[in-house]
Amino acid sequence: MSFGLPSSDPPPPPDTDPVTTADVDAPPQAPPPTTINPLALRLNGPAADVTLSEPLDLAPPVGWVEDPDQPMEDVHHLSDPRLSKGDYLMPRPRRLRPNPLKYGSMRTGICYDVRMRFHATVDEDDMHPEDPRRILEIYKAICDAGLVDDPMYTGVVKRDDLMIGIRARLVTMEEALLVHTREHWDFLSSTVALEHEQLQELTRDGDSVYFNGESFFCSKLSCGGAIETCDAVVSGKVKNAIAVIRPPGHHAEPHKAMGFCLFNNVCVATKVMQKKYPDKCKKVLILDWDVHHGNGTQTAFYDDPSVLYMSIHRYSGGKFYPEGPQGNYDHCGVGDGVGMNVNVPWASGGMGDGDYMYAFQRVIMPIAMEFDPDLVIVSAGFDAAAGDTLGGCFVTPAGYAHMTHMLMALADGKVVVCLEGGYNLQSISNSALAVTKVLMGEPPGKLHDGHVACKSAVEVVHTCVIKQSNYWRCMRPRDIIPEEHYEEKQFLKAIKLNDMVRIYQAKNLWDKYRMSVLPIYRDRISESFTFQVIARSDFFTKETIVFFVHDPYAPMLDAGVTYVDWAISKDYGFVDANIPHRLSGIENDGYDAQKQTEELCIYLWDNYLDVSEAKNIFLIGVGDAVLGLINLLVNRDCRDKVRGVVSFLGENHTLRAVVPPVANEYLTEWYYHNSRILISHAHSVWSRPKLPRKKFGALVKSKGLDVHEIMLVERDMITQWIEEQMPVPTAEEEVAEK
Ligand SMILES: [Zn+2]
């Protein structure tokens, strides 16, 4: 059967524009003094010399509220006789006063049009998940909850209802071409004239799209609905709004329909708003919580610095629809738009409220607040909802409500929620209803498991934080942890974070490699360091040891782990030292990360590395922690065991030179021939007329930008270099070996 039969539907909405509220964006003006105060008339009756030729509108003007005097006898404390003896009470004339809650007293808009259900599969018995009933079920849930009084579910909302109805219209070709190609428009319009068999064929050959004779009309109406909904919010007719529209849009590419999407509704609406209201829409945030990556939206704004696209979606190694690498965390935009594309790619299904809250609190909201948009559009698919078998995730209605609530803190509350996917009729209705209630001002419901993110989600989010720290200040740990003049409270928070990261890393390394904490017994080195050094338990007996030193945010998460993998596969020993920015507890007085790094490296050398059985030791340093290695080379003669020194430096890290207390040309020469200093291509050293001297080591310009990226892209080169640095066994040793 077809769910979109026109004959069974209520009539389309009338032509009158149901949006009637005056533009209240401008501050309310006091009524001119000559105007008869309508309230005075109502309360006291018309004065004798006033002739009423027209019925009076008794409601106060927009932006004003009634201020009736309260009868004295209702207020008992005012009968206190002492009040009459002094100047305690000040009479105030009865009048109107400005409405102090402009946003709070505005209403939420809703866009729904029954005709969007005409788009259906051409084969009546083909049950497609993008079912025309989806929008009806959502709209019904909103009506049945009493938010809209519309017994026939026509989409026509009464003027005095709790919500304001927004009428959808057809997108014009000119508007659609702001995003799409002319060929795409012509292709969609050509489907109107196709025969049944041709439509079947088109559906078979398409990339997860179907067509009938009404598809072009419905997709224009859906897109126009998104535009009108955004317009109502931007122009101030409503405070925020939900567009219950279909077909969805976020997979539609500029030149191609795919993934149930014909026109990219949200992209076209964004472009139209930016054109019509250039000053009110300088910066637009599109937040996409559909379980699928919005490839079309990413494409449309990939090089656009005025639109920040953020998507949380299931990626599953690039195997989840729409498949391919473009939904991964490392797709961050190009040209002027670099940094304006943020993907949070879940590694698997099964994500729930806790994971979404974690992503929102750690990545989405900090970046969104730094971006500071003028308008927020939500690509709201409800296919990550519990009950949606296609998405395989477990977000509850309360989870969606909380995400909406957080987004409402942005853009002066100008939030437009546009429906995308979501295929379980019950789940999408409950979720969309919860979102609508929050838009209207209700608090989001309680989350049951909303505070716990799973291990996989934590990993993904941390990878995103590291990647995004290239583009957003709020993602940089240096900015989160105050370097100086911190207050005790902030400082303890920072410490906790630092320890948490290490505990997490330690657990991972133990799970995977049976690496465990290395004891540090030394008065001068803080107790907290005990926990910061991890080693493979048998490193002591290995012929080759890799000593890895880094600060907490570097990169034990994925880049670092690839080095551990390599070392273990070569049967090398591995020692990993983490240098905290700050330490736990009271011992921070006088804590100096630089000095502690230096002392820790020397301590580890004296107590573990130098006395081990290793013949070959490699030192690898990341970022500021490199200083510890330099200090070690200067203060201990390690040259008979250390075969190579590798450093990874991001664009803002300082280059360090080996400068021994007594000038030692041999050390400088040795360092130059036995080091690889990999430096971000964006580092200022590359713009100097002359490269630094040999005491800075052998500098290599890396294609990577930050240390994380450098470690990843240079891994093969560096591991190969290390292997080549191994001494060739002498003839004597080879004989001994036999
Ligand atoms: Zn989807």
Side-chain angles (χ1 to χ4, degrees):
M1 61 168 285
S2 164
F3 302 109
L5 282 179
S7 55
S8 65
D9 278 312
D15 271 333
T16 48
D17 187 346
V19 176
T20 53
T21 318
D23 189 331
V24 290
D25 214 38
Q29 302 289 316
T34 51
T35 308
I36 299 161
N37 184 336
L39 209 67
L41 291 174
R42 180 162 64 175
L43 293 173
N44 304 331
D49 57 342
V50 176
T51 315
L52 292 175
S53 56
E54 289 190 17
L56 274 172
D57 180 2
L58 293 180
V62 171
W64 294 79
V65 290
E66 295 180 13
D67 184 22
D69 281 352
Q70 197 161 19
M72 288 285 277
E73 58 272 24
D74 285 355
V75 188
H76 299 300
H77 77 267
L78 293 183
S79 56
D80 190 319
R82 284 169 294 186
L83 286 174
S84 60
K85 291 182 187 144
D87 281 340
Y88 297 107
L89 293 177
M90 181 78 80
R92 196 160 70 91
R94 176 186 296 164
R95 60 179 174 84
L96 295 176
R97 60 185 165 84
N99 180 357
L101 298 179
K102 188 185 136 199
Y103 189 83
S105 56
M106 284 168 74
R107 281 181 286 168
T108 295
I110 182 166
C111 178
Y112 170 75
D113 190 315
V114 293
R115 296 171 297 170
M116 287 178 203
R117 291 170 58 202
F118 299 165
H119 166 65
T121 51
V122 75
D123 290 314
E124 294 190 355
D125 44 25
D126 177 13
M127 288 292 285
H128 194 279
E130 211 283 88
D131 182 324
R133 289 176 302 176
R134 295 170 60 241
I135 51 170
L136 171 65
E137 290 299 321
I138 290 176
Y139 185 66
K140 254 178 84 180
I142 291 171
C143 294
D144 293 350
L147 308 185
V148 169
D149 182 11
D150 183 1
M152 292 289 288
Y153 309 117
T154 58
V156 183
V157 180
K158 288 182 186 161
R159 286 180 181 201
D160 59 351
D161 217 335
L162 287 175
M163 299 185 82
I164 290 185
I166 298 165
R167 194 161 63 88
R169 63 162 171 87
L170 301 180
V171 66
T172 65
M173 184 176 80
E174 191 195 352
E175 288 168 335
L177 295 195
L178 292 171
V179 171
H180 294 284
T181 60
R182 178 64 199 251
E183 290 71 31
H184 182 64
W185 174 273
D186 291 343
F187 162 72
L188 290 182
S189 70
S190 74
T191 60
V192 174
L194 294 182
E195 300 291 332
H196 188 91
E197 288 73 30
Q198 291 171 303
L199 289 166
Q200 277 180 318
E201 200 177 312
L202 208 56
T203 304
R204 242 195 335 269
D205 298 345
D207 182 352
S208 301
V209 272
Y210 60 75
F211 296 95
N212 69 358
E214 301 289 351
S215 297
F216 183 50
F217 172 78
C218 289
S219 58
K220 282 192 292 182
L221 196 56
S222 180
C223 193
I227 295 172
E228 285 301 298
T229 309
C230 289
D231 199 316
V233 172
V234 174
S235 64
K237 293 188 177 79
V238 295
K239 60 178 174 184
N240 53 34
I242 181 166
V244 186
I245 52 177
R246 72 177 283 275
H250 73 150
H251 292 306
E253 294 276 351
H255 65 286
K256 183 181 164 195
M258 61 181 276
F260 317 161
C261 302
L262 306 186
F263 287 120
N264 197 317
N265 309 323
V266 164
C267 290
V268 174
T270 303
K271 288 274 191 188
V272 172
M273 288 305 105
Q274 289 193 311
K275 204 173 165 201
K276 185 170 174 186
Y277 303 102
D279 292 334
K280 287 181 174 177
C281 296
K282 286 197 184 95
K283 289 185 284 179
V284 180
L285 164 64
I286 300 175
L287 186 283
D288 188 335
W289 70 43
D290 188 285
V291 80
H292 302 97
H293 179 237
N295 55 291
T297 312
Q298 173 168 305
T299 305
F301 297 114
Y302 208 50
D303 60 355
D304 187 339
S306 71
V307 178
L308 170 62
Y309 176 65
M310 302 175 101
S311 176
I312 308 182
H313 52 268
R314 191 170 156 188
Y315 180 64
S316 299
K319 294 195 176 66
F320 199 70
Y321 193 87
E323 295 172 12
Q326 73 271 24
N328 210 355
Y329 75 95
D330 55 355
H331 281 63
C332 301
V334 288
D336 291 343
V338 78
M340 290 295 161
N341 199 85
V342 178
N343 285 325
V344 180
W346 296 139
S348 66
M351 298 298 160
D353 291 345
D355 308 301
Y356 277 79
M357 291 303 109
Y358 189 71
F360 252 70
Q361 288 167 347
R362 300 301 292 273
V363 180
I364 302 293
M365 288 311 293
I367 292 180
M369 295 196 89
E370 188 175 331
F371 178 62
D372 189 21
D374 304 309
L375 173 67
V376 177
I377 306 180
V378 185
S379 262
F382 293 108
D383 40 9
D388 192 302
T389 47
L390 216 66
C393 288
F394 298 98
V395 179
T396 67
Y400 286 113
H402 275 273
M403 289 193 274
T404 309
H405 196 242
M406 286 189 251
L407 293 170
M408 285 167 70
L410 303 162
D412 290 331
K414 290 189 190 303
V415 176
V416 180
V417 176
C418 290
L419 183 65
E420 297 280 1
Y423 308 102
N424 178 318
L425 298 180
Q426 193 63 48
S427 306
I428 59 174
S429 317
N430 293 342
S431 305
L433 176 61
V435 165
T436 307
K437 284 182 174 174
V438 169
L439 288 175
M440 294 174 78
E442 289 291 290
K446 287 202 171 185
L447 293 169
H448 294 293
D449 277 320
H451 308 292
V452 189
C454 69
K455 183 178 159 189
S456 164
V458 172
E459 256 173 22
V460 168
V461 167
H462 275 281
T463 308
C464 294
V465 167
I466 290 165
K467 186 70 195 172
Q468 295 303 330
S469 68
N470 288 313
Y471 316 112
W472 300 96
R473 287 183 61 84
C474 60
M475 293 288 105
R476 290 175 199 159
R478 202 170 314 166
D479 290 341
I480 296 171
I481 301 171
E483 291 291 338
E484 289 167 356
H485 311 301
Y486 48 80
E487 287 178 13
E488 189 68 11
K489 250 189 188 168
Q490 283 174 309
F491 155 81
L492 285 174
K493 247 191 254 166
I495 296 321
K496 220 173 146 199
L497 183 65
N498 174 49
D499 282 352
M500 287 302 290
V501 171
R502 193 55 175 171
I503 288 165
Y504 172 74
Q505 291 171 347
K507 189 178 175 308
N508 258 3
L509 291 172
W510 169 255
D511 287 349
K512 205 165 168 192
Y513 306 109
R514 292 289 173 262
M515 285 174 74
S516 53
V517 170
L518 202 62
I520 308 285
Y521 302 109
R522 200 168 183 226
D523 291 346
R524 292 188 59 197
I525 296 180
S526 147
E527 262 181 35
S528 282
F529 263 119
T530 340
F531 198 62
Q532 308 294 342
V533 183
I534 299 177
R536 212 182 160 191
S537 48
D538 56 352
F539 83 94
F540 216 74
T541 62
K542 299 293 179 189
E543 191 169 302
T544 301
I545 295 177
V546 175
F547 174 47
F548 196 81
V549 54
H550 56 86
D551 65 15
Y553 294 90
M556 288 316 293
L557 291 163
D558 58 359
V561 166
T562 67
Y563 286 79
V564 186
D565 280 336
W566 158 77
I568 303 289
S569 75
K570 293 284 171 188
D571 198 30
Y572 300 158
F574 198 89
V575 179
D576 176 81
N578 175 57
I579 311 294
H581 290 288
R582 302 261 172 239
L583 300 176
S584 309
I586 208 81
E587 58 190 318
N588 279 276
D589 285 341
Y591 173 71
D592 176 346
Q594 184 170 326
K595 204 163 163 43
Q596 293 288 334
T597 309
E598 294 174 357
E599 289 196 1
L600 180 72
C601 288
I602 287 187
Y603 174 87
L604 291 171
W605 177 263
D606 290 347
N607 292 281
Y608 289 107
L609 300 172
D610 196 24
V611 294
S612 73
E613 291 169 25
K615 293 187 185 129
N616 313 306
I617 297 177
F618 290 91
L619 310 177
I620 303 183
V622 181
D624 292 330
V626 167
L627 185 65
L629 300 183
I630 298 289
N631 184 63
L632 172 64
L633 294 173
V634 169
N635 287 290
R636 296 287 186 274
D637 192 354
C638 317
R639 284 174 290 168
D640 59 333
K641 286 190 175 173
V642 173
R643 305 283 171 220
V645 182
V646 175
S647 303
F648 297 102
L649 300 176
E651 58 179 316
N652 297 320
H653 288 123
T654 313
L655 260 60
R656 310 277 182 183
V658 285
V659 187
V662 180
N664 183 341
E665 277 307 310
Y666 298 114
L667 178 63
T668 307
E669 202 64 28
W670 175 89
Y671 184 55
Y672 183 71
H673 287 108
N674 291 282
S675 66
R676 284 293 180 273
I677 315 301
L678 291 133
I679 305 173
S680 166
H681 63 84
H683 198 284
S684 61
V685 70
W686 303 119
S687 52
R688 290 184 205 166
K690 227 174 119 189
L691 275 188
R693 308 226 311 270
K694 284 184 175 178
K695 62 182 178 182
F696 288 94
L699 310 188
V700 182
K701 187 174 184 173
S702 171
K703 283 199 288 284
L705 183 66
D706 58 347
V707 287
H708 182 258
E709 204 171 73
I710 297 170
M711 289 177 69
L712 282 175
V713 299
E714 307 296 353
R715 181 190 179 270
D716 291 348
M717 190 272 274
I718 280 303
T719 51
Q720 193 189 338
W721 178 79
I722 288 179
E723 285 161 31
E724 287 165 6
Q725 286 290 106
M726 296 288 179
V728 182
T730 61
E732 245 172 58
E733 280 169 338
E734 271 187 43
V735 171
E737 196 87 343
K738 282 168 191 164

